[in-house]
Amino acid sequence: IGVDVYGAASEYAAVMIDTTSLVRVLRTRIFGVPDAASGQGLVVERTGLLVVDSSLVSDFSGDGVYAYSVDSIDMRRSVLQYNGDAGLWVGTPDTATASRLVFSRNRVTQNAYYGVYAYYVRQGLFDHNVFVGSGYYGDGVTAYGSRAAVLSFLADSLDVRQSNWLNAQTFDSVRVDSVVTVSTDYGGDIYDFRTVVVTNARFQTGYYDALYLEGRGADTSTVLVQNS
């Protein structure tokens, strides 16, 4: 709580925690080494609950935060910036062990591959986040779920140039409410869903669709777009 951590070059991670019930990172700053192979920032594996609040993870050559086989992740009021891979990477072995992700009021800036990459999540709940990215290789948010999973965005701002603001695959329902996106090339892609609801959203895109939706079939998928 309330400490600064400085990673060294050629480390696997500045902070690594494995096989616990609870990890809390509060008011902490974790720094990598700019323009050096400084590995990952925070690595947490095989844990019940990871809480990151009011913290900063910056300038790692790998992921800012790497969470593998973590049941629930709650990240709030934090900054993930200038990391060489994803700002936040979430992974589980299969959909039966999928994570619950709450991502609220964070700022995600110029991470080279993804803002948030999640594979798999049973719930992905995003609200009031700011994503800024330009000229990198991955999407603002990439999320893989299951046929029972839920994904939602509320009042998020995603200014993601040259990439998708969203790439979502296999969810029961996806809700996008009061979201603002800017993309010079691509938009948002949602595949294999039962229900998509988009309300009060504003999309600015360049060459491609603001939203590309591909459901499970005419008899099983529904889409509602309102005030957008």
Side-chain angles (χ1 to χ4, degrees):
I1 298 176
V3 299
D4 286 353
V5 178
Y6 293 88
S10 302
E11 283 187 327
Y12 173 67
V15 179
M16 183 170 181
I17 303 167
D18 196 346
T19 316
T20 62
S21 60
L22 171 64
V23 174
R24 285 183 177 271
V25 179
L26 307 177
R27 300 186 301 279
T28 293
R29 299 188 299 176
I30 305 175
F31 297 99
V33 180
D35 303 317
S38 51
Q40 328 252 36
L42 171 65
V43 173
V44 178
E45 299 184 356
R46 289 170 285 275
T47 292
L49 173 61
L50 167 62
V51 177
V52 179
D53 194 345
S54 305
S55 295
L56 166 71
V57 184
S58 180
D59 290 294
F60 287 89
S61 58
D63 303 308
V65 177
Y66 175 99
Y68 181 75
S69 197
V70 176
D71 182 72
S72 295
I73 300 148
D74 190 332
M75 183 171 292
R76 300 174 185 270
R77 294 175 290 271
S78 295
V79 178
L80 305 172
Q81 64 181 19
Y82 310 134
N83 297 294
D85 284 334
L88 169 65
W89 188 96
V90 177
T92 64
D94 48 49
T95 57
T97 57
S99 299
R100 180 178 189 267
L101 171 61
V102 176
F103 199 79
S104 177
R105 300 183 184 276
N106 302 293
R107 185 171 184 87
V108 183
T109 303
Q110 288 297 107
N111 299 282
Y113 276 85
Y114 301 91
V116 174
Y117 183 93
Y119 185 97
Y120 301 92
V121 289
R122 64 181 186 271
Q123 287 184 312
L125 309 177
F126 293 77
D127 74 271
H128 298 89
N129 301 290
V130 176
F131 289 76
V132 178
S134 177
Y136 61 77
Y137 304 103
D139 305 315
V141 176
T142 291
Y144 294 84
S146 69
R147 286 184 166 247
V150 174
L151 181 65
S152 68
F153 297 85
L154 173 62
D156 297 289
S157 172
L158 300 100
D159 187 344
V160 180
R161 312 295 174 109
Q162 289 91 45
S163 297
N164 291 84
W165 69 268
L166 173 65
N167 186 346
Q169 300 193 36
T170 314
F171 284 89
D172 177 72
S173 64
V174 180
R175 184 174 183 89
V176 178
D177 184 21
S178 304
V179 164
V180 176
T181 75
V182 178
S183 179
T184 54
D185 287 342
Y186 301 96
D189 296 346
I190 305 174
Y191 300 91
D192 189 16
F193 59 85
R194 185 182 63 85
T195 302
V196 168
V197 177
V198 180
T199 54
N200 308 308
R202 180 160 57 90
F203 305 108
Q204 179 180 327
T205 189
Y207 300 110
Y208 295 94
D209 304 317
L211 277 175
Y212 177 84
L213 308 178
E214 186 174 308
R216 293 176 187 160
D219 298 328
T220 56
S221 296
T222 60
V223 175
L224 170 64
V225 179
Q226 188 173 33
N227 298 329
S228 299

